[in-house]
Structures are given as C-alpha cells and as structure tokens.
Amino acid sequence: MPIRISGLNSGLDTESIISALVSSYNYKTQKYEKAQTKLSWKQDAWKELNTKIYSLYNNVGNLRLNSSYKLKTATVSDATKVSVTAGANSINGSYSVQVTKLAKSGYMTGEELGNEAKASSTLKDLGYTGEKGEISLVVSGETKKISVSADTTIQDVVNQLKEAGVNASFDAKNKRIFVSAKAAGEANDFELVGADAAGTAILNRLGLTEEAGATRVEGSNAEIYVNGAKYTSDTNTFSINNMTFTASAITGEDYDPTEARAVNVIVNTDTQAIYDKVKDFLSQYNSIINEMTSLYNAESAKGYEPLTSDEKDAMSETEVEKWEAKIKASILRRDDTLSSIISTMTSAMSKAVNVNGENLHLSDFGIQTLGFLNAPKNEHNAYHIDGDEDDANTSGKTDKLMAAIAEDPDKVIDFMMGLSKNLYEAVDKKMKSTTLSSSYTIYNDKEMASEYSDYTSLITKWQDRLTQQEEYYYKKFAAMETALSKLNSQ
C-alpha cells in the first residue's frame, strides 16, 4: 500500500474525514465478520454436543441387544484353589470342582560347571577336545539341530537353544545352565539329546544330561473334575460350558467320589451388574439431556456481539473472555434444532414398551422425573431411580428397580431392550443424511458450512469495496493538496 501523506497544505485531518466517509463500508465488513465468528462458535457448540449424543446413540445401540444384559456372577467357596468367571451364556446353578493336577512347564537345571566357568568359556575351556557334534532339541514334536564344537562358548549354546524354541540362560554365579519350555503342559515340553556321539559328549560336558547330574522336571497337564467329569489342559485355565475355571492349587492328588474336598461354585444372574447398567445408561442420558436443556434455556446475550480487534484492545484479557463466554453460553438459546432433538429424546423415553402383552413405562420400575416444580433448574427431563443411594432426591424411597431385577430379570431386560430400541430409532432418524446435514449428525452442518463460506465471500467483497473507496477519497484529497500547493507557490 502506498504511503499516504495528506493535509500538509490544507491543514485538514484527512484520515478522520476519509474514515467517516467510508464508515458505512467498514460497518458492513465488521457486521459480516462478527456474524461469521458467531456462526463458528455455533458450529463448535454443535460439534461438541453431537459427539456426546453420538456416544449415547452407540451405547443405546448395544443396549438393544440381549447379550448386553447376559451378566453372570460366580461365587467360589475356596478361591485359593479355583477362580471362576461366568460367561454371558453360562447356566445358573451349582458346580463341584476338584483340582488333582496343576500344569507345569518342562525344566532342566544343569550340573555345576566349575568355578572357572563363565559365559564366554568355550567347550575347550570346559575340557572338551573332541570333534564337532550336533544336539537335537525336540519341542512340541518338532526337532531342531544345534551344531557345537570345542570353540563354541557357553553363551553361544544358550543363544542357539533360545533360537530353537526354549528358554535358556547361564547363571554365572552358580555356574549352571538352565533350560525350560516356553509353555506349560505335556505337549509343550522339550527333549534335549545328542544327535550323534559327539553331541552326547558335549551335552555331558555342559552338564545338560541326567547322567552328568542335571535335574529334570517334565512338563505336565493340569487336571480338574467339574461335576464328576474329567478335563485336562496344558495350562491351568479351562473353558467349560461358557465358564472359565483357573486352577491355582490342588484339592487332592486323586479324584474324591465323596466330593468332600471339592470347591463349590454357584453361578447366578448378576442382578447388581444389570442394575448398574441401567443406572449408567440413565446417568449418560441425564447428563446430555440436562446440558441440552440448559443450552436451550440459556440467558439472553442481547446486545453482545463478537468484538473487533480495536474493541479487544480497549478491554482487559479477562473482560474479553467474559464477554465472549457470555455469547457462547447463549449461542444455542431457543434453537429450533435443539428443541427438536430434546423433544425426540424425551418422547422416546416416555413411550410405553410392550413386554409379553403388558405395556410398561420407566415409572413401573421406580424410575421417573422429578417434575417441573420439584426438579432443579434445567433438570426436569432427567430420570431418577427410587432408592438410589447416590441420589439425594430419591435415596429414601423403596428400590423398585432392584426388586424387579431380583424377581424377574428377563422382564426388566426385555423392557430395557425395548426402551433402548425406541430411543435408538428416534435418534437414528435425526442422524440421517440430508441436503442440509451429514450422516450421524443431528444439526445442519452442511448448511452451516455453506453459510460460513458465504460470509467469507461477503467479507472479501466489502473489504475490497472499503479499500476502493479509501483509495478514491485519498486521490481526491491528494489532488486538492496539490492544487493548494501550486496556489500557495504563486
């Protein structure tokens, strides 16, 4: 932009005069800039709210399914010997469990190699002067060969054993090589033998044969009896009839037909877990519906508009933050889209659900709102559970929900599935893609994006007009100053 020097001859405040002459153009520019800023804040508010509603939508989608409520609990008489996790499809009832064997990993503790032995010691250092030999390592039925010579070090042997499929290490302090299977059970055990005479001699020199003083523990399977039926596993964990049994100690070395040593397990429907699932759902719903109600009923910010740069410069940082917070808090006040989604969700929640010919509502299970007169501000759409110890409003009432779950869990589950279906389908319709909104979006994001783009065009247009008008007037005043300069010189 050229340097503008004016008023030298006329003595006029050209800057102020031109600023006043183009003020209408400047007003239009700032008007659209402020409108665009408010729109961006509105977009941000909707994005944040949409994320929360979409999360609820996904959760409700899962709650439509019976599998979400297949919650079981297993009570064990002696958890020091057996732990049990009941799966969703496990059968309620009593189970007798006996543990007669625990799974073990195959293990070999090598003979002491002498005080001078260290990881870098070769077979020659250990006294082996024979030919090169091969060692066979059999793991889970697969054989691998390891070549060893007099120049091979202890660490080399350890590394090759590890590469071949077992755990191996050299204890420099105790001068022993340790070898173990990578997993428990008979099928995962290993066998270490010489593939030839030299290989056998090398193993003896390394202290890795029982003839040389090595100690060998063979891998073994775990063995348990559940209601008299025998089960084996290469681990201490068993999956039986949709339950997971984990053995940690034996009840006896042999099966006891009298079951005197048996661990008793009782599997029941987890009523508390079902209750918590309902409570968690309502908590998420309440949080969102209360927030939306608060946003809709927000205090008016009439007279507040986004600030220009000059206006911000005239205020403190705290004042600017408070000013903008006031506008943002009211950005969705009396918003028609917000009103619509609130109505959609509250209607779905109050709708009856037919369970085996009986029309049921949330209130039939002691779940209801406090009403407009009794509910705190902007919380009249929130649901409360009678007898909920965490809810000061209803903790003193009879807990009808827990009683209903204990008496007939399937009835409660069927009702919650139906309620979830109603809410899911209602929100799903709102999240359908249209010419104004994208999929899984409850507000008109496409329309807002288009409006934002239009504002950008308008701002550019009025900024250009402002610049043109300023240039026009500066040229006029420059001509006047030139004429005055000539007149003064005459």
Coordinates of all heavy atoms in Angstrom, one line a residue, residues 7-54:
G7 N -3.0 16.6 4.1 CA -3.3 17.7 5.0 C -2.1 18.6 5.2 O -2.2 19.5 6.0
L8 N -1.1 18.5 4.4 CA 0.1 19.4 4.6 C -0.2 20.8 4.2 O 0.3 21.7 4.9 CB 1.3 18.9 3.8 CG 1.9 17.5 4.2 CD1 3.0 17.1 3.2 CD2 2.4 17.5 5.6
N9 N -1.0 21.0 3.2 CA -1.3 22.4 2.8 C -2.7 22.9 3.3 O -2.8 24.0 3.6 CB -1.3 22.4 1.2 CG 0.1 22.2 0.7 OD1 1.0 23.1 0.8 ND2 0.3 21.1 0.1
S10 N -3.6 21.9 3.3 CA -5.0 22.3 3.8 C -5.1 22.4 5.3 O -6.0 23.1 5.8 CB -6.0 21.4 3.2 OG -5.8 20.1 3.8
G11 N -4.3 21.6 6.0 CA -4.4 21.6 7.4 C -5.5 20.7 7.9 O -5.9 20.7 9.1
L12 N -6.2 20.0 7.0 CA -7.3 19.1 7.3 C -6.8 17.8 7.9 O -5.8 17.2 7.5 CB -8.2 18.9 6.1 CG -8.8 20.1 5.4 CD1 -9.5 19.7 4.2 CD2 -9.8 20.7 6.4
D13 N -7.6 17.2 8.8 CA -7.4 15.8 9.3 C -8.0 14.8 8.3 O -9.1 14.3 8.5 CB -8.0 15.6 10.7 CG -7.7 14.3 11.3 OD1 -7.0 13.5 10.6 OD2 -8.1 14.1 12.5
T14 N -7.2 14.6 7.2 CA -7.7 13.8 6.1 C -8.1 12.4 6.6 O -9.1 11.8 6.1 CB -6.7 13.7 5.0 OG1 -6.3 15.1 4.7 CG2 -7.2 13.0 3.8
E15 N -7.3 11.8 7.4 CA -7.5 10.4 7.9 C -8.9 10.3 8.5 O -9.7 9.4 8.2 CB -6.5 10.0 8.9 CG -5.1 9.9 8.4 CD -4.9 8.6 7.5 OE1 -5.7 7.7 7.6 OE2 -3.9 8.5 6.8
S16 N -9.2 11.2 9.4 CA -10.5 11.2 10.1 C -11.7 11.4 9.1 O -12.7 10.8 9.2 CB -10.6 12.2 11.2 OG -9.6 12.0 12.2
I17 N -11.5 12.3 8.2 CA -12.5 12.7 7.2 C -12.8 11.5 6.4 O -14.0 11.1 6.2 CB -12.1 13.9 6.4 CG1 -12.0 15.1 7.2 CG2 -13.2 14.1 5.3 CD1 -11.4 16.3 6.5
I18 N -11.8 10.8 5.8 CA -12.0 9.7 5.0 C -12.6 8.5 5.7 O -13.4 7.8 5.2 CB -10.6 9.3 4.3 CG1 -10.2 10.4 3.4 CG2 -10.8 7.9 3.6 CD1 -8.8 10.1 2.7
S19 N -12.1 8.3 7.0 CA -12.7 7.2 7.8 C -14.2 7.4 8.0 O -14.9 6.4 8.0 CB -12.0 7.2 9.2 OG -12.5 6.2 10.0
A20 N -14.6 8.7 8.2 CA -16.0 8.9 8.3 C -16.8 8.7 7.0 O -17.9 8.2 7.0 CB -16.2 10.4 8.8
L21 N -16.1 9.0 5.9 CA -16.8 8.9 4.6 C -17.0 7.4 4.2 O -17.9 7.1 3.5 CB -15.9 9.6 3.5 CG -15.9 11.1 3.5 CD1 -14.9 11.7 2.6 CD2 -17.3 11.7 3.2
V22 N -16.1 6.5 4.7 CA -16.1 5.1 4.3 C -16.7 4.3 5.5 O -16.6 3.0 5.4 CB -14.8 4.5 3.9 CG1 -14.2 5.3 2.7 CG2 -13.8 4.6 5.0
S23 N -17.2 4.9 6.5 CA -17.7 4.2 7.7 C -18.8 3.2 7.4 O -18.8 2.1 8.0 CB -18.2 5.2 8.7 OG -19.3 5.9 8.2
S24 N -19.6 3.5 6.4 CA -20.7 2.5 6.0 C -20.1 1.2 5.5 O -20.6 0.1 5.8 CB -21.7 3.1 5.0 OG -21.0 3.5 3.8
Y25 N -19.0 1.3 4.7 CA -18.4 0.1 4.2 C -17.7 -0.7 5.3 O -17.7 -1.9 5.3 CB -17.4 0.5 3.1 CG -18.0 1.2 1.9 CD1 -18.2 2.5 1.8 CD2 -18.4 0.4 0.8 CE1 -18.8 3.1 0.7 CE2 -19.0 0.9 -0.3 CZ -19.2 2.3 -0.4 OH -19.8 2.9 -1.4
N26 N -17.1 0.1 6.2 CA -16.4 -0.6 7.3 C -17.4 -1.3 8.2 O -17.1 -2.4 8.7 CB -15.6 0.5 8.1 CG -14.6 -0.2 9.1 OD1 -14.0 -1.1 8.8 ND2 -14.6 0.4 10.3
Y27 N -18.6 -0.6 8.4 CA -19.6 -1.2 9.2 C -20.1 -2.5 8.6 O -20.3 -3.5 9.3 CB -20.8 -0.3 9.3 CG -22.0 -0.9 9.9 CD1 -22.1 -1.0 11.3 CD2 -23.1 -1.3 9.1 CE1 -23.3 -1.6 11.9 CE2 -24.2 -1.9 9.7 CZ -24.3 -2.1 11.1 OH -25.4 -2.6 11.6
K28 N -20.3 -2.6 7.3 CA -20.7 -3.8 6.6 C -19.7 -4.9 6.8 O -20.0 -6.1 7.0 CB -20.9 -3.5 5.1 CG -22.2 -2.7 4.8 CD -23.4 -3.6 4.9 CE -24.7 -2.9 4.4 NZ -25.9 -3.8 4.5
T29 N -18.4 -4.6 6.6 CA -17.4 -5.6 6.8 C -17.4 -6.2 8.2 O -17.3 -7.4 8.3 CB -16.0 -4.9 6.5 OG1 -16.0 -4.4 5.2 CG2 -14.9 -6.0 6.6
Q30 N -17.4 -5.3 9.2 CA -17.4 -5.8 10.6 C -18.7 -6.6 10.9 O -18.6 -7.5 11.6 CB -17.2 -4.6 11.5 CG -15.9 -3.9 11.5 CD -15.7 -2.8 12.4 OE1 -16.7 -2.4 13.1 NE2 -14.5 -2.3 12.6
K31 N -19.8 -6.2 10.3 CA -21.0 -6.9 10.5 C -20.9 -8.3 10.1 O -21.3 -9.2 10.9 CB -22.1 -6.1 9.8 CG -23.5 -6.9 9.8 CD -24.5 -6.2 9.0 CE -25.8 -7.0 8.9 NZ -26.9 -6.4 8.0
Y32 N -20.4 -8.5 8.9 CA -20.3 -9.9 8.4 C -19.2 -10.7 9.1 O -19.3 -11.9 9.3 CB -20.1 -9.9 6.9 CG -21.3 -9.4 6.2 CD1 -21.2 -8.3 5.3 CD2 -22.5 -10.0 6.3 CE1 -22.3 -7.9 4.6 CE2 -23.7 -9.5 5.7 CZ -23.5 -8.5 4.8 OH -24.6 -8.0 4.1
E33 N -18.1 -10.0 9.6 CA -17.1 -10.7 10.3 C -17.6 -11.2 11.7 O -17.3 -12.3 12.1 CB -15.9 -9.7 10.5 CG -15.1 -9.5 9.3 CD -14.0 -8.4 9.5 OE1 -14.1 -7.7 10.5 OE2 -13.0 -8.4 8.7
K34 N -18.4 -10.3 12.3 CA -19.0 -10.7 13.6 C -20.0 -11.9 13.4 O -20.0 -12.8 14.2 CB -19.7 -9.5 14.2 CG -18.7 -8.5 14.7 CD -19.4 -7.3 15.4 CE -18.4 -6.3 15.9 NZ -19.1 -5.2 16.7
A35 N -20.8 -11.8 12.4 CA -21.7 -12.9 12.1 C -21.0 -14.2 11.8 O -21.5 -15.3 12.3 CB -22.6 -12.5 10.9
Q36 N -19.9 -14.1 11.1 CA -19.2 -15.4 10.8 C -18.5 -15.9 12.1 O -18.5 -17.2 12.3 CB -18.1 -15.1 9.8 CG -17.4 -16.3 9.3 CD -16.3 -16.0 8.3 OE1 -15.4 -15.2 8.5 NE2 -16.3 -16.7 7.2
T37 N -18.1 -15.0 12.9 CA -17.5 -15.5 14.2 C -18.5 -16.2 15.1 O -18.3 -17.3 15.6 CB -16.9 -14.3 15.0 OG1 -15.8 -13.7 14.2 CG2 -16.3 -14.8 16.3
K38 N -19.7 -15.6 15.2 CA -20.8 -16.3 15.9 C -21.2 -17.6 15.3 O -21.4 -18.6 16.0 CB -22.0 -15.3 15.9 CG -21.9 -14.2 16.9 CD -23.2 -13.4 17.0 CE -24.2 -14.1 17.8 NZ -25.4 -13.3 18.1
L39 N -21.2 -17.7 14.0 CA -21.5 -18.9 13.3 C -20.5 -20.0 13.7 O -20.8 -21.2 13.9 CB -21.6 -18.7 11.8 CG -21.9 -20.0 11.0 CD1 -23.2 -20.6 11.4 CD2 -21.8 -19.7 9.5
S40 N -19.2 -19.6 13.7 CA -18.1 -20.6 14.0 C -18.3 -21.1 15.4 O -18.0 -22.3 15.7 CB -16.7 -20.0 13.8 OG -16.5 -19.0 14.8
W41 N -18.7 -20.2 16.3 CA -18.9 -20.6 17.7 C -20.1 -21.6 17.8 O -20.1 -22.5 18.6 CB -19.1 -19.4 18.6 CG -17.9 -18.5 18.8 CD1 -16.6 -18.9 18.5 CD2 -17.9 -17.2 19.3 NE1 -15.8 -17.9 18.9 CE2 -16.5 -16.8 19.4 CE3 -18.8 -16.3 19.8 CZ2 -16.1 -15.6 19.8 CZ3 -18.4 -15.1 20.3 CH2 -17.0 -14.7 20.3
K42 N -21.1 -21.3 17.0 CA -22.3 -22.2 17.0 C -21.9 -23.6 16.4 O -22.3 -24.6 16.9 CB -23.4 -21.5 16.1 CG -24.7 -22.2 16.2 CD -25.8 -21.4 15.5 CE -27.2 -22.0 15.7 NZ -28.2 -21.3 15.0
Q43 N -21.1 -23.6 15.4 CA -20.6 -24.8 14.9 C -19.8 -25.6 15.9 O -20.0 -26.9 16.0 CB -19.7 -24.6 13.6 CG -20.4 -24.1 12.4 CD -19.5 -23.8 11.3 OE1 -18.5 -23.0 11.5 NE2 -19.7 -24.4 10.1
D44 N -19.0 -25.0 16.7 CA -18.2 -25.6 17.7 C -19.1 -26.2 18.8 O -18.9 -27.3 19.3 CB -17.2 -24.7 18.3 CG -16.1 -24.2 17.4 OD1 -15.8 -25.0 16.4 OD2 -15.4 -23.2 17.6
A45 N -20.1 -25.4 19.2 CA -21.1 -25.9 20.2 C -21.8 -27.1 19.7 O -22.0 -28.1 20.5 CB -22.0 -24.8 20.5
W46 N -22.2 -27.1 18.5 CA -22.9 -28.3 17.9 C -22.0 -29.5 17.8 O -22.4 -30.7 18.0 CB -23.6 -27.9 16.6 CG -25.0 -27.4 16.7 CD1 -25.4 -26.2 16.3 CD2 -26.1 -28.1 17.2 NE1 -26.8 -26.1 16.6 CE2 -27.2 -27.3 17.2 CE3 -26.3 -29.4 17.8 CZ2 -28.5 -27.6 17.6 CZ3 -27.5 -29.7 18.3 CH2 -28.6 -28.9 18.2
K47 N -20.8 -29.3 17.4 CA -19.9 -30.4 17.2 C -19.7 -31.1 18.5 O -19.7 -32.3 18.6 CB -18.5 -29.9 16.7 CG -18.5 -29.6 15.2 CD -17.2 -29.0 14.8 CE -17.2 -28.6 13.3 NZ -15.9 -27.9 12.9
E48 N -19.5 -30.3 19.6 CA -19.2 -30.9 20.9 C -20.5 -31.7 21.4 O -20.4 -32.8 21.9 CB -18.9 -29.8 21.9 CG -18.6 -30.3 23.3 CD -18.3 -29.1 24.3 OE1 -18.1 -28.0 23.8 OE2 -18.2 -29.4 25.5
L49 N -21.6 -31.1 21.2 CA -22.9 -31.7 21.6 C -23.2 -32.9 20.8 O -23.6 -34.0 21.3 CB -24.0 -30.7 21.5 CG -25.4 -31.1 22.1 CD1 -25.2 -31.4 23.6 CD2 -26.4 -30.0 21.9
N50 N -22.9 -32.9 19.5 CA -23.1 -34.0 18.6 C -22.3 -35.2 19.0 O -22.7 -36.4 18.9 CB -22.8 -33.6 17.2 CG -23.4 -34.6 16.2 OD1 -24.6 -34.6 15.8 ND2 -22.5 -35.5 15.7
T51 N -21.1 -35.0 19.4 CA -20.2 -36.0 19.9 C -20.8 -36.8 21.0 O -20.7 -38.0 21.1 CB -18.8 -35.5 20.2 OG1 -18.2 -34.9 19.1 CG2 -17.9 -36.6 20.8
K52 N -21.3 -36.1 22.0 CA -21.9 -36.7 23.2 C -23.2 -37.4 22.8 O -23.4 -38.6 23.3 CB -22.3 -35.6 24.2 CG -21.0 -34.9 24.7 CD -21.4 -33.8 25.7 CE -20.1 -33.0 26.2 NZ -20.5 -31.9 27.1
I53 N -24.0 -36.9 21.9 CA -25.2 -37.6 21.5 C -24.9 -38.8 20.7 O -25.5 -39.9 20.9 CB -26.1 -36.6 20.7 CG1 -26.6 -35.5 21.6 CG2 -27.3 -37.4 20.1 CD1 -27.4 -34.4 20.9
Y54 N -23.9 -38.8 19.9 CA -23.4 -39.9 19.1 C -22.9 -41.0 20.0 O -23.2 -42.2 19.8 CB -22.4 -39.5 18.1 CG -21.9 -40.7 17.2 CD1 -22.8 -41.2 16.3 CD2 -20.7 -41.2 17.3 CE1 -22.4 -42.2 15.4 CE2 -20.2 -42.2 16.5 CZ -21.1 -42.7 15.5 OH -20.7 -43.8 14.7

